[in-house]
Amino acid sequence: MAKNKNLIYIAVSLIAFLVLAFLYSTPVFTGKQLFQHDIVQYRGGAKELIDYRNNYDKETYWSDSMFGGMPTYQMGSRFEGDIIKKIDSYLNILPRPVNYLFLLFSGFFLLGMVAVRNWKYALLGATFFGLSTYFYIIIAAGHNGKVNTIEYFAPLLAGILLVYIRKKYVLGFIVTTLFFGLQIAANHPQMTYYLFLGLGFLFISELVRAIKKKVPMKHFLISSGIIASALAIGVGMNSQRIMANSEYIKETVRGKQILNTETHTAGNTGMDKESILMWSYGQLETLNLFIPRLMGGGSQEPEGKEMMEKVQQLVQDNVTSQAEYDRISKGFGSLTYWGDQPGTSGPAYQGAIVCFLALLGFFFASKKYRYWILGATILTILLAWGSNFMPLSDFFIEYVPFYSKFRAPSSILVVVELLFPLIAIIGLYRFFNSETLEEDYKKKILTYVGGGTLGLTLLLIVFGKSILGFATDNEKVYLPPFLLEYLVDERFSMFRTDAIKALLYVGITVAVLFFALKQKLNQNIALVIIGLVSLFDLWTVNKRYLNDDNYVDKIFAENPFQTEGSDYLAEKVGDNANLQSILASIPVNKTLETIAENDKKHYRIYNQVLGTTSETNTSYFKASIGGYHAVKLRRYDDLLNEYIVQPDSIKTPKILNLLNTKYMIFGNPGEPQVVPNPKANGNAWFVSDLKFVNTPNEEIKAIGEIDSKKTAVINISDKSYFDNRPVQTDSTATINLTKYEANELEFKSQSKTPQLAVFSEIYYPHGWKVFVDEKEVPYIKADYLLRAVHVPAGNHHIKMIFEPQVIETGKWISLLCFGLFIALSAFGIYYIYRKRDKKQVEIIK
């Protein structure tokens, strides 16, 4: 009876999560969809991939849409035999973002049930975790892979705790394997990596407990073996994805550096320190886990518009010279954010009540949870400081494997956002239900922690201006007093509002706990009050960053690259800032569409109007020199930095010709100007001269100096390629593209002498095969980043096909591991039931 009752409560809780998720996302009822910046960029960059899939009912793992061409492994490609990803798709079947919110809530509910085995506390913890502000910020931005990964954090930890803490080996194995596999399938390795940095403390804690004989060493070894097997199978079920990305990552900006520069050393792996640490959390800024607008919240807070109008009025009334205006301009950053990061969409607000209860949890929770969560919390906060705590950051960048592959250390706070709700509900449960915690101890801790928290908050409210400053160093240097004083007053007002709220919320929680301790308030009533106040707190803060304005009509969400303006369209856009960018891009999009319709051949476009490396409008209509992607091929990124980011009037055109840039777009978004480029090299060409160089630095420098139609720059390491392959001049030789698909190109050549053909296609050493008259031949790298192949004299058919072996190999490993997971799970369940039946027989006897 009790078991059935518990199942009912669990079912009711899941329904409550569904209701909460839909209530937060009410525009989905009218058919509206989220308008997410990164997803808009994805739609542009992945257009060729999606069209290929729709046209041929199969996948291409190469696309020429962005940055001259790159693998699609990080562009939404699908893998045949990827069963675990299909499971992820079924779990995320609800409309976005209802799917994310529901899984965030329900995943933590499972963790809560494992940790405290009480549905009320699991329900409370689920709202603490599922309403963490950071998740709503990244949903609004379109970081879907990130939130998709985070939604599996809690159930994965639940599986591990089932094994280590609850000794439920079979169930723990199943849960751990499934949710680790799903987390890998969500494809945000950075989030998974950060989670396991935190979980390392759990492993150390269990090892210490085994050494101290708090638990049997045999249990620790068995548990560790089960967890290791579960993780290995979880990885194995994602073999295609992992193997392809592992191969790809070596050739990208996350792999080895090629050039020796002021900031790069050839052979070093990962990004440079400046890139890694750019988004580092300020030390004081960490307190916005407790007070959301301690540093102003986000760069674009709701109050910002009114502040900007006032600033403009103040400047107009007080500034009398251009020199003074120029000086003021140097001091301006964001009006509503003054933290250490270059900018931010919002704070990593955890909730005043959650943070306070987490502090209590470090005193009330049992030691098997307390110490490892504390250790993980401290480490991740220190790492989040990044450049503001260089001794630790330097150590991790230099010595901890893979840490240098990731940027934006501030995002490691997701670990805190998982662990604070966990330690909060564990501590709260023991506060109410533990027989080992004495009442005097509870009262003392509640007095000290509650008084300290309230006192610190009050101190910040009273003396906040002098303690926090509310202005950046740059602003203090360049802004005149009348502007600085206005900004400080407005920012302090924003902070004070949130700080008073935090004071009130914590005060209510302290009072509730004291009344409950004195048995003047029922435990259930206390939990309801805490839950409702926390829900109100987080809900209202989250609505600043993800609200009805983030939803748009389906036509805009699914086709953000509009090419025709109309009064109806302008009316639908209204004053929605998210959609106004669509209207502003219509002239550029129309220009791109016209180019693509009038010239259907294969070439690239250089679009300087929208920002070459920060847009995919061009990629939506035609292949682009630029694009928008965090994991570019290293050689192409080197080329961008050398010649495109800071254009050179002589050298940049040479590079554009090399990349078969047939059209260039200049001007402004309202009046784009198309400039045809008749000097583009074409899809392929024969060269008469070879220039051998010794280093990559010499390679990339030479391509800005040579006539690439006549000369190819070859690294000395490939000189042996020409030992039995002579190259002779023939001014009448021709080579032409006859077929183009994303992963297959065909050419016809004619020459009287042996030639070296250079193709305006990006060199990638894994998966591309070149055939001359149906016979596979080796190819080399020319001009730092292009493909080149020797072609004998005569008439020939040349074919290039992208068929990465890693995909086929990974498919069979993925299927094998999924089969192994099913077999082991079935055997484990059978073993449990057989053991239980045996016990029942023995009892009857």
Side-chain angles (χ1 to χ4, degrees), residues 490-508:
E490 289 297 309
R491 291 168 173 178
F492 177 67
S493 177
M494 291 168 61
F495 156 77
R496 183 176 55 199
T497 300
D498 282 1
I500 290 172
K501 288 179 181 178
L503 190 75
L504 177 63
Y505 300 147
V506 173
I508 291 172

Side-chain angles (χ1 to χ4, degrees), residues 528-596:
V528 168
I529 293 172
I530 291 171
L532 289 176
V533 174
S534 175
L535 181 67
F536 175 80
D537 172 26
L538 288 163
W539 191 287
T540 53
V541 171
N542 294 347
K543 281 293 183 178
R544 297 172 185 169
Y545 309 105
L546 180 63
N547 51 55
D548 290 359
D549 290 341
N550 295 93
Y551 295 83
V552 299
D553 288 342
K554 186 177 180 180
I555 187 174
F556 295 120
E558 295 186 353
N559 184 18
F561 303 104
Q562 298 287 325
T563 57
E564 299 290 344
S566 67
D567 293 338
Y568 173 76
L569 193 67
E571 183 182 344
K572 296 292 283 184
V573 168
D575 58 356
N576 189 313
N578 290 315
L579 293 181
Q580 286 171 355
S581 61
I582 290 181
L583 283 183
S585 297
I586 285 177
V588 177
N589 293 340
K590 184 62 178 178
T591 300
L592 291 166
E593 183 184 57
T594 302
I595 293 172

Side-chain angles (χ1 to χ4, degrees), residues 145 234 740:
Y740 170 78

Side-chain angles (χ1 to χ4, degrees), residues 136-166:
Y136 294 76
I137 292 168
I138 60 177
I139 289 172
H143 299 170
N144 293 348
K146 184 181 287 188
V147 72
N148 190 194
T149 302
I150 294 168
E151 70 191 19
Y152 297 128
F153 272 18
L156 171 60
L157 177 54
I160 295 172
L161 294 181
L162 278 169
V163 176
Y164 273 130
I165 306 297
R166 299 301 178 204

Side-chain angles (χ1 to χ4, degrees), residues 151-444:
E151 70 191 19
Y152 297 128
F153 272 18
L156 171 60
L157 177 54
I160 295 172
L161 294 181
L162 278 169
V163 176
Y164 273 130
I165 306 297
R166 299 301 178 204
K167 299 183 181 179
K168 303 288 185 181
Y169 298 138
V170 174
L171 182 59
F173 168 79
I174 293 171
V175 173
T176 302
T177 308
L178 175 62
F179 286 104
F180 184 60
L182 287 168
Q183 189 170 130
I184 299 282
N187 200 28
H188 202 293
Q190 182 175 9
M191 293 298 99
T192 300
Y193 180 85
Y194 287 160
L195 174 65
F196 275 85
L197 282 181
L199 294 186
F201 285 89
L202 172 58
F203 175 81
I204 294 170
S205 172
E206 289 302 303
L207 175 60
V208 170
R209 290 210 308 144
I211 292 171
K212 289 186 173 182
K213 299 183 179 179
K214 301 290 184 181
V215 294
M217 181 60 74
K218 180 181 178 182
H219 163 68
F220 170 76
L221 294 174
I222 291 173
S223 298
S224 298
I226 290 171
I227 296 300
S229 301
L231 298 181
I233 295 173
V235 168
M237 290 192 295
N238 287 276
S239 291
Q240 283 177 292
R241 181 174 296 97
I242 291 173
M243 291 171 67
N245 281 318
S246 295
E247 187 177 79
Y248 172 55
I249 210 77
K250 296 172 186 174
E251 310 300 326
T252 71
V253 291
R254 310 297 172 95
K256 285 187 178 181
Q257 295 161 3
I258 298 170
L259 301 175
N260 280 306
T261 66
E262 293 180 1
T263 57
H264 294 76
T265 302
N268 285 356
T269 57
M271 297 174 286
D272 59 88
K273 285 186 182 179
E274 183 179 355
S275 298
I276 294 170
L277 302 174
M278 185 172 290
W279 269 267
S280 296
Y281 236 56
Q283 294 181 4
L284 270 177
E285 192 174 1
T286 310
L287 287 175
N288 69 14
L289 288 163
F290 180 71
I291 300 173
R293 290 190 290 190
L294 184 94
M295 295 289 180
S299 301
Q300 302 294 330
E301 288 288 317
E303 292 84 350
K305 185 177 180 180
E306 187 177 334
M307 289 174 66
M308 176 56 75
E309 291 174 355
K310 180 64 176 177
V311 164
Q312 290 172 341
Q313 185 63 49
L314 287 171
V315 170
Q316 185 177 339
D317 293 343
N318 293 277
V319 175
T320 56
S321 68
Q322 183 64 40
E324 188 178 1
Y325 179 82
D326 291 341
R327 178 180 174 84
I328 290 173
S329 298
K330 292 179 181 179
F332 263 112
S334 166
L335 294 178
T336 56
Y337 174 73
W338 55 92
D340 290 356
Q341 300 178 84
T344 179
S345 299
Y349 183 54
Q350 185 64 68
I353 290 176
V354 181
C355 289
F356 171 66
L357 291 177
L359 289 177
L360 289 180
F362 288 120
F363 293 96
F364 294 144
S366 57
K367 292 180 180 179
K368 62 187 175 186
Y369 290 109
R370 186 191 310 172
Y371 295 124
W372 76 263
I373 293 179
L374 180 62
T377 298
I378 292 172
L379 176 68
T380 50
I381 286 176
L382 294 180
L383 285 174
W385 289 351
S387 58
N388 297 307
F389 196 66
M390 283 307 296
L392 186 63
S393 295
D394 276 334
F395 176 82
F396 269 73
I397 290 170
E398 295 295 331
Y399 300 109
V400 177
F402 307 115
Y403 189 79
S404 63
K405 305 288 185 185
F406 307 116
R407 62 191 181 99
S410 58
S411 59
I412 200 174
L413 287 173
V414 293
V415 178
V416 178
E417 289 153 354
L418 169 69
L419 298 181
F420 265 27
L422 178 59
I423 195 69
I425 63 167
I426 292 172
L428 194 61
Y429 178 81
R430 293 196 78 231
F431 175 85
F432 281 118
N433 301 289
S434 174
E435 296 178 357
T436 59
L437 291 176
E438 296 179 356
E439 185 174 335
D440 287 344
Y441 176 76
K442 294 178 187 178
K443 184 178 180 181
K444 182 175 72 172

Side-chain angles (χ1 to χ4, degrees), residues 504-526:
L504 177 63
Y505 300 147
V506 173
I508 291 172
T509 305
V510 171
V512 164
L513 293 178
F514 263 116
F515 282 125
L517 195 60
K518 295 293 185 180
Q519 297 184 341
K520 293 183 178 180
L521 194 64
N522 179 272
Q523 178 183 155
N524 291 338
I525 299 298

